Each structure stands twice: as structure tokens, then as C-alpha cells.
Amino acid sequence: MNSLINKESLTDGFAPLKTIACPDSNGHFGIYGGRYVGETLMPAILELEEAYNRITPQEKFKKELNDLLELYTGRPTPLFHAKRLSEHLKGASIYLKREDLAHTGAHKINNTLGQALLAKWMGKKKVIAETGAGQHGVATATAAALFGMECKIFMGTEDIKRQAPNVLRMELLGAQVVPVESGTGTLKDAMNEAMRYWVGAVVDTFYIIGSVAGPHPYPMMVRDFQKIIGIEARKQIMDLAGRLPDLLIACVGGGSNAMGLFFPFIDDPVEMTGVEAAGKGISSGKHAATLGEGSVGVLHGSKSYVLQDKNGQIIEAHSISAGLDYPGVGPEHALFKDIKRANYVSIDDNQALDAFKKLCMLEGIIPALESSHAIAYAMQQAPRMNKDSIIIVNLSGRGDKDLGIVSTIFK
Amino acid sequence: MKTKRIDKTFEELKQKKEKALVGFLSAGDPDLNTSLKIIESMCAAGLDIIELGIPFSDPTADGPVIQRSSARALKKGITIKTVLEMTRKIRTYSDIPIILFSYYNPIHSYGAKAFYNDSVSSGADGVLVVDLPPEESDEMTSKWPGNELALIRLIAPTTPIERMKKIAQESSGFLYLVSKTGVTGSAGLDTQEVTVNSRLLGSITNLPICVGFGISEPEDVRKIAPDVDGIVVGSAFERIIEENLNNPNLDQILGEKVSKLKAATKL
């Protein structure tokens, strides 16, 4: 099921997407995407694509997933008008899409339930996943517990330290957390190790990738499971404000929460901005601004922007936020950047921490450090827009997992 | 496609009733000069084909041993340029077929056309790009201005027969049969499974078949050799390098390992 974008002509100022198949039958988003994996994995991802196309359109599958999203996850998540924050900023009205209120505390559950249900339909009883912040790991462990599947989560040792509460959660949910020491012990290394493990276990194991990255069909499949965010938000803002928003803002590591929010607005006259992590500042070189500062390359099964040196070696990323600390990005974002359908900016560690505090104090919401990057950019933009303008920020996750990091900094 | 040195090697081995011993090394591990000495010693000891690994920061198809060897080479600043210089040096004393073994990103960054030209001019015979399946390889080969570089392809135990046929038809030089589902250096080699898979593959292609992944000892070689045309050993060599990083006789030790493995390829 290749989602062909085939809508009527777009409003002026936006690149026409109607002629672009996203992705094409080989999983390419323009020049990006594709299937850059070893031969051992090729039959498995071809099988997955076939199963995805055959199973997910079936009414029975759709009903099973929708019931889970409603009754287990608690969807639809609210679209909340952050009035105090908006008043404080004296500009556009800011609405928060409350993915932090979804079961397990982040948007990741939308995708893991979809993939785990697909795994169940395919007859697979073992699942694996990589995780950075631990939110995808927790969401995978949750789905595995719900479906009675065996679950292994690969997580970098640095992330295990900085996201300790999530490690405990995964273990309570019955998952085995496999520490990954190679590289900097962060998300990239966890994904390397998950792919290596999968090569050996591919015959009976389903790999639940957490972002709109990896080889085809993952970027398409994860987007399709996450687009519920944007579908709901679009309807909710029409109900609440009677019109479309002017700007969508979401943080981008691999890019799943951003793509989930953006995709259903793709043919609307709505601006979209993805916020990458500038870490200790772009000029310091210690950042995770892959779209902003990277170049075209191949990492983890797909072609996209990557942070790399002049010899094509991947450079380590940096961010205070484990979920954004990744030197790659989903291929569809790379396409959106090139055709200017979305704009990509960056927010550094300190700006994200300021936004974290502001949202706690003004709205009584503790956001994840990942989502705090999106809030920080909204705080920059809202004062520059007039009072009639509407911004929707994807509040992709809750910040309980970050209290350890934040408490050491705010002391 | 012209794969003269590769074809000639398999012809000669056939006449001698021997199988090819293919050696993989992370080029430049533990350092450039030692690596060159190791290669010279291995060639002298009877190695038939050499695979020079271009190091990559994120080798997702490799087990811990080759991950570490790749990291050591990267630390020494080894790049595609260095590996091609090494190729040129090997060519001054040997006609051994040289296969460049790489992940795609370094080649993508170097440029597919420049990579082809520089590989051919340095004397390389083929390239194996581990994460570039047939579905994506046109983007590289369509930029190649000639046909003097073989594209060696992988066949896995998971590859269905129809796909095997398609891959075999598009290949040249030889086919690389992965012995088991797993990364390089995985334990638990099942020689019976290898025999079944290599016979199946042999029934659909005339290309030579080389088997690799997890093969380290002469007895493994002896069991597998009758049903294949060549045996690839990689992690076993890299393990020796790792255990003898400061040993001045490292090249000799590897030469001796090659001799033992090579003896097992003679039927």
C-alpha cells in the first residue's frame, strides 16, 4: 500500500507534492529511503513489506488496532490550548498535542502496538527493538507484554545511565534490556546492535523499529502508524478554532513524532517546522542537527541526511536528550527538506532546558527533554506571530524519565 | 565483465584440485605497515584471493572481532585512498585477485565513478558492498564507466531460490555464500547446512561459490571444501591480529595460519 499523495492543487507557496509517490514501490522518497541492508535481511524486509500491504488494510486488523488505540492507549489524546504560555509569549496561540498522555507517556506506543499487532498476525512470537530515551523500548516492552511476546531491547550504556527509570520500567514489563557499549553508547549504537542481533535471529524475530528510519518498509510503516497524531490534531483544531493552524512544530531525532503530526497536513496550507537538537551549540560540533548540518549518506538501511566526515564515516551526535541524540534522520524528512515542504531548525541544550522549566511553571506539564526542543522553538516563534495565529506543538512525551538529568542541572 | 585474475585463479585451482582460500583483513589493521607485511606473508603462504576491508564506523553486518579491527584501522586514519594505495603495493609483487570489501557509505561519499576508476587503476579486481543489495546497486554500477570491476554478491541462507537465481544472473567473479544467519565471526557453524545450501546454489549457477562467516579452523575447511570453490576466512585472522598486537612476528604467525588452512583446501 504505497500512500500516493494525490490531492488537488496546493495553495501557493508550497511545493506541489501531488505528483510524488511517497514512497515509490522500492521504498524511495525521491532519492532517499530504499533498502540498504545485507542479503540475510533482504528476504525478511521483503516479507514484512508484503505482510504489511496484505494485513494492515484488512478491516479486522484495523478494528483490532483502533480498539487498542482507544481503550488501551487512551486515544484520542487531547489538543490543549496552552493559554498561560500563549499569554506569556504575547503572540500566537499555542496548542499542545498531548501525546505525553498516551499510555506509557509518549507517542511511541502508537507505532509499537501497530507493529506488534502486525507481528502477531504474521505469527512471530519474539520482538526486538532499539531505544535511545527508552520511550520506544518501554512502548515495545508494553506491547510485547500485552501480546505475550518475548522481548529484547537494545540500549546504549550511556542512555541506560541517563534514562534509568525507563530501564526499570522495561524490566518490570518483562523485557530483557541488552546494554550496548560500542561507540558512545547511545541510540546509533543501540540500532547497530539490534540490526546485528536481527541478522542472526531473523527467521523468527520481528524487529520493531521506533522511528521513521531504517530500510523500507519501516519509514512508511512507522509514519502510517504515527499519522493518527496529525489526523486527530487536524480534526481537533477545526473543532476548537474552526480553522487550520498556521504552524506545526515537532522535535526531530529520527523524526517519528514529527512525521506523525506533519503527514496528514501535507496538502494543507500549513507551515511545518522540525526541531533538531543543537546540543552544546552547532559551532561546538557537539550536536544532532542532521538535516541542518549533515549531508546525504546511507546509515541503518536507508539513504538520508547523516552526520558524517569527508570519508563517509558517521560522526557521533550529541544532545542532552537521548531521543534526539542520533546522527541520522528519516528519509521522508530529507525529502521534505529538499522540496521545502518543511523547515528544519535547531534548539540547543540550554534553550530546551529553559522551555522545560517554562512549561512546568506555566502549564503544570512536565515535558520530555525531546519535546522541550519543540516547545523552545514555539517560544521563539509565537511572539513574532500575530494573536490570531495558531501553532500546534507536538508534546511527544512526558518528562518523568528526565528528572534525573534535570535535577542535577537545576540544583 | 572482465574478471581475468579471478577467473584465472579458479581455473588454475581446478586443475590442481584445490579450493580457493580467500582471506579477509581489515585493511590497515593494526597499522598500515604491519598490515602490508601481514598481507605479503599471507600471499607467500599460499593465500589465493584477498578481501581488503575498507573500515567503517558502523559495521552492522560484522561481529565484535571485525568491529574492533575496523575501529583500529579507522583510528590509524585508514580511508579508501589508503586501501587503494595498499592495493597498488600488493600489485607490485603479486597477481592475487584483490576484492575490496566495503559498506556503501564510504563509497557513496567517495563517488561511485571515482571509486571505479581508482579501484581499477590500482589493480583491484572486484568489490563487495555488504549493504548494497541488488535492489539498490544500480545507483552505483550505473555510474561505472567500464566493466573491469566485478561486483561480488552475497547469497544468504535466507535467500529464496528464485532470488538466488536472479542474483546469480547479475553477478560476476564469484558468489559469496553466507554460511549461516548471523554476523561475521558467529559461532555455531553447521557444515551440513552449508553443504545443502552450496549444492543448491551450485545447481543454479556456473559461477564459483565461496563460503564465508564463522569458518576458522582447518577441519571446518576440510568438511566444506568438497562442495564449494572457495572458503573465506576473516574473523579468525583478525582474532590473531588482536591477540598479537605488539608481537613483532605477527606476519609470520598469520602466514602459518594461512598455510594450515590452505593445506585443508587440497582435496
Side-chain angles (χ1 to χ4, degrees), chain B:
Chain B
M1 206 172 275
K2 288 181 206 161
T3 52
K4 270 191 232 153
R5 275 183 291 253
I6 299 174
D7 298 346
K8 192 168 163 242
T9 297
F10 283 106
E11 265 313 304
E12 287 174 3
L13 287 166
K14 209 174 192 175
Q15 284 169 14
K16 289 194 279 184
K17 292 195 166 41
E18 287 177 23
K19 301 304 166 82
L21 179 67
V22 185
F24 168 92
L25 288 173
S26 286
D29 174 35
D31 60 67
L32 184 58
N33 284 335
T34 312
S35 186
L36 283 165
K37 270 170 68 187
I38 290 170
I39 292 166
E40 197 164 353
S41 166
M42 288 170 76
C43 287
L47 192 70
D48 296 303
I49 295 175
I50 185 152
E51 287 183 359
L52 285 182
I54 294 165
F56 183 49
S57 54
D58 296 82
T60 52
D62 285 302
V65 174
I66 292 182
Q67 286 173 46
R68 288 193 295 265
S69 72
S70 187
R72 283 193 298 271
L74 277 179
K75 255 193 183 158
K76 296 288 176 181
I78 303 297
T79 63
I80 288 183
K81 271 212 165 75
T82 337
V83 180
L84 294 177
E85 279 162 28
M86 291 174 71
T87 304
R88 219 177 277 275
K89 282 191 179 147
I90 299 167
R91 267 299 156 257
T92 60
Y93 65 82
S94 174
D95 267 337
I96 187 170
I98 300 172
I99 312 296
L100 304 171
F101 191 104
S102 188
Y103 286 82
Y104 185 48
N105 201 51
I107 295 175
H108 180 264
S109 168
Y110 194 90
K113 186 179 171 189
F115 179 79
Y116 173 90
N117 286 332
D118 297 350
S119 297
V120 171
S121 72
S122 70
D125 301 283
V127 59
L128 191 163
V129 190
V130 65
D131 55 351
L132 195 69
E135 281 80 355
E136 306 293 347
S137 62
D138 276 359
E139 78 165 71
M140 180 179 76
T141 52
S142 66
K143 293 181 186 124
W144 287 4
N147 60 354
E148 291 179 63
L149 197 63
L151 181 61
I152 311 294
R153 293 190 187 276
L154 295 163
I155 302 276
T158 49
T159 309
I161 186 154
E162 287 308 313
R163 187 175 167 85
M164 268 188 193
K165 284 181 189 165
K166 198 172 153 275
I167 294 174
Q169 276 164 13
E170 293 170 3
S171 296
S172 57
F174 62 89
L175 285 168
Y176 188 135
L177 176 64
V178 177
S179 68
K180 63 189 297 289
T181 54
V183 291
T184 54
S186 299
L189 181 71
D190 180 345
T191 51
Q192 268 184 328
E193 188 197 350
V194 173
T195 302
V196 171
N197 288 337
S198 52
R199 282 183 189 164
L200 177 64
L201 182 56
S203 72
I204 61 156
T205 183
N206 292 322
L207 282 171
I209 299 166
C210 295
V211 178
F213 282 38
I215 303 173
S216 57
E217 297 303 327
E219 49 262 46
D220 302 332
V221 174
R222 217 164 276 127
K223 279 185 202 152
I224 296 169
D227 292 293
V228 299
D229 303 287
I231 309 262
V232 189
V233 176
S235 296
F237 293 138
E238 287 297 346
R239 204 171 290 122
I240 292 174
I241 293 177
E242 188 166 68
E243 286 164 1
N244 294 278
L245 284 174
N246 298 313
N247 190 329
N249 300 322
L250 182 54
D251 55 332
Q252 278 177 33
I253 300 171
L254 282 157
E256 283 158 22
K257 179 77 178 174
V258 166
S259 299
K260 285 181 199 153
L261 291 165
K262 181 59 207 170
T265 69
K266 297 176 182 175
L267 299 182

Side-chain angles (χ1 to χ4, degrees), chain A residues 292-309:
Chain A
E293 301 297 315
S295 52
V296 178
V298 172
L299 176 67
H300 293 151
S302 59
K303 184 185 279 183
S304 185
Y305 281 78
V306 295
L307 295 177
Q308 58 185 332
D309 70 12

Side-chain angles (χ1 to χ4, degrees), chain A residues 65-79 97-107 109-110 113 142 146 228 232 236:
Chain A
L65 182 56
N66 284 338
D67 285 353
L68 285 170
L69 290 173
E70 185 187 329
L71 303 169
Y72 186 70
T73 308
R75 304 206 71 89
T77 58
L79 184 70
K97 180 59 174 162
R98 298 290 308 274
E99 291 300 297
D100 60 318
L101 293 178
H103 179 45
T104 71
H107 72 293
I109 191 80
N110 304 326
L113 284 175
T142 299
L146 182 66
I228 184 82
E232 287 175 5
Q236 288 164 325

Side-chain angles (χ1 to χ4, degrees), chain A residues 75 77-80 82 85 94-102 105-108 110 135 229 233 248-251 257-258 261 355-356 359-360 363-376 378 391-399:
Chain A
R75 304 206 71 89
T77 58
L79 184 70
F80 176 69
L85 180 65
I94 296 176
Y95 287 78
L96 304 174
K97 180 59 174 162
R98 298 290 308 274
E99 291 300 297
D100 60 318
L101 293 178
H107 72 293
K108 293 292 186 187
N110 304 326
Q135 289 302 124
I229 302 170
L248 306 176
I249 300 175
C251 63
N257 90 78
L261 176 65
F356 176 96
L359 200 69
C360 292
E363 298 291 349
I365 296 171
I366 301 174
L369 283 175
E370 289 77 13
S371 321
S372 300
H373 287 72
I375 305 285
I391 299 175
I392 294 180
V393 178
N394 198 2
L395 191 61
S396 55
R398 57 191 288 166

Side-chain angles (χ1 to χ4, degrees), chain A residues 59-252:
Chain A
E59 287 308 319
K60 195 169 166 248
F61 180 92
K62 284 200 266 187
K63 181 168 189 318
E64 216 176 325
L65 182 56
N66 284 338
D67 285 353
L68 285 170
L69 290 173
E70 185 187 329
L71 303 169
Y72 186 70
T73 308
R75 304 206 71 89
T77 58
L79 184 70
F80 176 69
H81 187 184
K83 287 185 187 144
R84 290 196 70 212
L85 180 65
S86 305
E87 276 163 22
H88 172 79
L89 296 169
K90 298 183 176 63
S93 278
I94 296 176
Y95 287 78
L96 304 174
K97 180 59 174 162
R98 298 290 308 274
E99 291 300 297
D100 60 318
L101 293 178
H103 179 45
T104 71
H107 72 293
K108 293 292 186 187
I109 191 80
N110 304 326
N111 169 50
T112 62
L113 284 175
Q115 287 196 49
L117 187 61
L118 180 59
K120 188 182 123 184
W121 276 58
M122 289 171 74
K124 309 256 178 186
K125 295 193 171 68
K126 294 180 187 174
V127 296
I128 59 166
E130 83 294 337
T131 197
Q135 289 302 124
H136 175 58
V138 167
T140 302
T142 299
L146 182 66
F147 294 131
M149 292 169 168
E150 197 181 309
C151 178
K152 271 192 174 64
I153 305 291
F154 295 84
M155 187 170 189
T157 46
E158 172 63 21
D159 289 342
I160 285 178
K161 261 187 265 167
R162 59 178 166 170
Q163 308 279 224
N166 275 344
V167 178
L168 184 58
R169 291 166 83 196
M170 286 184 266
E171 287 171 349
L172 285 170
L173 292 160
Q176 183 197 351
V177 179
V178 182
V180 178
E181 283 180 24
S182 57
T184 45
T186 58
L187 180 54
K188 177 191 79 151
D189 311 299
M191 191 139 177
N192 283 343
E193 209 52 41
M195 288 182 81
R196 287 181 190 121
Y197 179 85
W198 198 35
V199 175
V202 65
V203 177
D204 65 352
T205 301
F206 189 108
Y207 182 10
I208 299 184
I209 291 182
S211 197
V212 285
H216 180 61
Y218 285 100
M220 168 182 81
M221 178 168 68
V222 176
R223 174 199 73 198
D224 288 349
F225 287 137
Q226 289 293 1
K227 70 185 177 194
I228 184 82
I229 302 170
I231 291 170
E232 287 175 5
R234 196 176 184 285
K235 183 172 178 302
Q236 288 164 325
I237 197 67
M238 294 305 285
D239 290 348
L240 288 169
R243 68 174 186 88
L244 289 169
D246 300 283
L247 174 62
L248 306 176
I249 300 175
C251 63
V252 175

